Amino acid sequence: MSKGKSKQIQSVRGMHDILPEDQKYWRYIQKKIEHLLEYYSFERISTPVLEFADLFNRSVGESSDIVSKEIYSFKTKGGDMLALRPEATAGIVRAYLENGMNVRPHPVKLYCIEPMFRHDEPQAGRYRQFYQLDVETIGDGSEAVDAELIFVAYKLLESLGLKNYDVHINSIGDQNCRPAYIKALKDYFRSHSKNLCSNCKIRLKENVLRILDCKMEDCKEASKGSPQMVDFLDDACRLHFKHVLEFLDEAEVPYILNPHMVRGLDYYTRTVFELIPSENAGSQSTLLAGGRYDRLIEQLGGAKTPGSGWAMGIERIILAMKDQNINVPEIGSKPKVFLVQLGEAPKRKALPLFESFRKAGIEAKSSLGRDSIKSQLRIAHRLGVRFALIFGQKEALDGTIIIREMDTGVQETLLLENIVDEIKKRLKEKPLAVVGSSKEYEEDPVK
Ligand SMILES: [Zn+2]
Ligand SMILES: [Zn+2]
């Protein structure tokens, strides 16, 4: 290393780059999301990355792990406490209230695909900046809404080709029936407190429900015999839950009743659910999670308005798709023509030539950095193009170009001004390559 060479700057821990070779997954997933959600009348919304920290204190809850440990917050020069959003629901509800969406026909169905930030311990598929698809239905408390949200979640994973995951579902009641459950849970864990981890000893005082979320073995063990919310549901909540399950039965969405699933956020009421890979139940590999939040909008200063929604981590979905060897289409179309450029004058004339191919709907490629004919033809071969066009100094001077049929190696010299029409004609002539709409090109997989 030479003296004075600067130290290379690394990415911030837990932050990751999405490299070109992974973009095909992002594009594929985004297309599937748009297609499915817009069919079910969800409209896209984008909210800022930065919000007042108070938004999350009042919604997600100050004692939650997300706010107490994982939130990125800071004071601005003007003295405001801001936070990078750790989740999307609070911001969407804020936007709903601030933009007067409460006067629109209800329910208001929204989705976003945005980066979230949590200062969490990085692990496979889990980053400190990560992307979430967030789906919300605001303004309708009915069972059908929860069932539709779960149905759409299930169908989304199915449309991505993911297999072997289960819908885990529970009801955590509401402010009417939950207090009795919390009391029973406190009594239970108090008598088991010596087995709890230090975090859960604090949770026992502050938010006993979260003990059920703890991943420590001893706490999981202690949770096994604990009371179940389903036994404490009042009639209204019990009926609501029963109807959600009936809707799912009708829609043939298989589910597993998970009596100890509570989800880690303060704002949930009644239905909570997660989609978890079958073989990994209990681990942290939840693909998608959500629930109903009938009090959140009130908590954030709005009128009493029910809501329900879920979020899905895109990075984890990609990891699951790779694990299951799911093929996604490559970005870009299969080129039909490769332009071999030899020398300065041909290189200068190549750009307008490329543009005329693009306008004619013919996908052309070249390799500007290569100078030898051999290396360029090798690339043409690898791309599987039907024709190589060889454009050297002599041809540039004469206004001609050499066309080479890759399969046979047969070459002939043509006038440069006719080349686009000629290629068009030849591509049509043989069944080897059918020229169709640009859409057909798009779906043509690269070999
Ligand atoms: Zn209730
Ligand atoms: Zn614990």
Side-chain angles (χ1 to χ4, degrees):
M1 193 187 283
S2 66
K3 197 183 157 206
K5 189 176 176 190
S6 305
K7 190 175 174 250
Q8 202 183 323
I9 296 173
Q10 306 288 311
S11 67
V12 175
R13 186 165 137 83
M15 305 289 167
H16 72 124
D17 305 304
I18 304 163
L19 298 177
E21 52 268 35
D22 265 349
Q23 295 291 344
K24 62 180 177 185
Y25 290 96
W26 292 80
R27 188 182 289 197
Y28 182 72
I29 292 169
Q30 177 146 331
K31 272 189 182 169
K32 293 285 183 190
I33 289 170
E34 284 169 0
H35 186 256
L36 184 74
L37 289 176
E38 284 165 22
Y39 180 78
Y40 281 98
S41 306
F42 289 89
E43 295 178 289
R44 191 160 182 171
I45 187 170
S46 294
T47 64
V49 163
L50 278 176
E51 299 277 4
F52 286 110
D54 221 24
L55 177 68
F56 305 110
N57 296 338
R58 279 168 59 185
S59 56
V60 181
E62 278 172 285
S63 71
S64 67
D65 281 357
I66 291 180
V67 169
S68 66
K69 294 190 198 132
E70 298 166 3
I71 203 161
Y72 282 90
S73 56
F74 60 94
K75 204 175 209 159
T76 65
K77 285 174 185 160
D80 290 326
M81 271 307 287
L82 302 185
L84 289 169
R85 63 172 165 220
E87 59 97 58
T89 306
I92 288 179
V93 167
R94 197 247 334 117
Y96 164 89
L97 292 171
E98 190 170 338
N99 296 289
M101 295 170 88
N102 50 335
V103 300
R104 295 187 186 185
H106 276 51
V108 173
K109 298 166 80 174
L110 301 167
Y111 77 99
C112 73
I113 309 170
E114 301 280 338
M116 308 293 152
F117 302 84
R118 287 185 202 173
H119 196 271
D120 200 358
E121 213 32 58
Q123 42 182 289
R126 194 164 181 149
Y127 302 97
R128 289 178 174 177
Q129 175 179 329
F130 59 101
Y131 284 77
Q132 262 189 356
L133 161 65
D134 194 75
V135 182
E136 310 288 353
T137 301
I138 300 175
D140 189 332
S142 70
E143 300 87 337
V145 163
D146 296 357
E148 183 189 68
L149 283 162
I150 296 168
F151 178 78
V152 167
Y154 188 74
K155 289 294 157 187
L156 179 62
L157 297 195
E158 192 179 84
S159 78
L160 292 172
L162 288 164
K163 291 188 183 72
N164 304 320
Y165 51 87
D166 302 309
V167 177
H168 290 240
I169 189 166
N170 191 22
S171 172
I172 55 168
D174 58 7
Q175 72 273 28
N176 180 37
C177 52
R178 203 184 310 157
Y181 174 57
I182 291 191
K183 189 181 174 301
L185 213 53
K186 265 190 183 155
D187 291 345
Y188 172 84
F189 280 118
R190 235 178 244 133
S191 63
H192 291 75
S193 66
K194 62 177 189 303
N195 300 326
L196 297 177
C197 73
S198 54
N199 275 334
C200 283
K201 285 193 174 107
I202 299 167
R203 289 178 180 131
L204 182 53
K205 293 192 194 92
E206 286 177 357
N207 196 330
V208 67
L209 277 179
R210 295 227 167 81
I211 298 176
L212 299 172
D213 280 338
C214 187
K215 305 292 181 211
M216 305 294 286
E217 277 312 316
D218 285 349
C219 301
K220 280 205 271 192
E221 196 54 42
S223 293
K224 272 182 187 159
S226 65
Q228 302 184 358
M229 180 67 221
V230 69
D231 297 324
F232 290 81
L233 294 176
D234 54 21
D235 289 347
C237 288
R238 185 187 306 277
L239 211 58
H240 191 279
F241 191 40
K242 182 170 169 275
H243 287 161
V244 172
L245 301 181
E246 283 167 4
F247 272 108
L248 293 179
D249 287 335
E250 199 64 44
E252 294 182 356
V253 175
Y255 54 83
I256 295 171
L257 294 174
N258 190 335
H260 284 136
M261 187 177 66
V262 292
R263 309 283 309 127
L265 311 186
D266 270 359
Y267 54 61
Y268 284 122
T269 48
R270 293 189 166 170
T271 317
V272 290
F273 60 92
E274 294 186 14
L275 271 69
I276 303 174
S278 308
E279 65 273 25
N280 289 322
S283 77
Q284 299 196 341
S285 55
T286 300
L287 291 178
L288 189 158
R292 174 160 283 288
Y293 49 86
D294 288 345
R295 300 197 59 217
L296 175 61
I297 294 163
E298 252 179 308
Q299 276 170 37
L300 292 176
K304 192 170 189 299
T305 313
S308 194
W310 52 261
M312 173 184 102
I314 309 277
E315 284 88 349
R316 263 195 249 182
I317 289 289
I318 292 175
L319 203 66
M321 288 173 74
K322 287 179 175 175
D323 277 352
Q324 295 191 16
N325 294 315
I326 294 168
N327 280 320
V328 304
E330 298 290 336
I331 290 176
S333 45
K334 184 183 167 185
K336 299 288 189 275
V337 175
F338 188 92
L339 184 61
V340 177
Q341 311 157 80
L342 304 164
E344 280 309 309
K347 274 187 187 172
R348 274 201 298 278
K349 290 189 177 180
L351 213 53
L353 186 58
F354 256 96
E355 183 59 12
S356 39
F357 278 120
R358 190 185 68 81
K359 280 186 175 154
I362 299 167
E363 180 81 4
K365 287 268 185 281
S366 74
S367 176
L368 272 173
R370 308 289 165 115
D371 286 325
S372 86
I373 185 164
K374 207 175 151 193
S375 66
Q376 292 186 62
L377 283 175
R378 204 180 298 131
I379 298 166
H381 183 74
R382 207 177 57 219
L383 289 172
V385 297
R386 189 162 161 213
F387 300 108
L389 296 173
I390 302 166
F391 198 36
Q393 297 281 17
K394 182 179 180 302
E395 288 76 27
L397 224 69
D398 294 350
T400 58
I401 194 161
I402 297 167
I403 180 168
R404 177 189 174 99
E405 177 110 28
M406 290 300 287
D407 277 353
T408 59
V410 174
Q411 293 188 180
E412 84 188 88
T413 303
L414 298 171
L415 280 176
L416 182 61
E417 60 189 43
N418 297 337
I419 191 64
V420 173
D421 288 339
E422 193 59 37
I423 294 277
K424 225 187 219 173
K425 204 174 94 201
R426 290 185 188 207
L427 284 171
K428 266 183 206 153
E429 268 168 11
K430 292 187 188 170
L432 231 171
V434 180
V435 184
S437 65
S438 57
K439 193 151 188 225
E440 260 182 271
Y441 280 105
E442 238 175 63
E443 285 164 7
D444 217 345
V446 169
K447 269 180 194 162

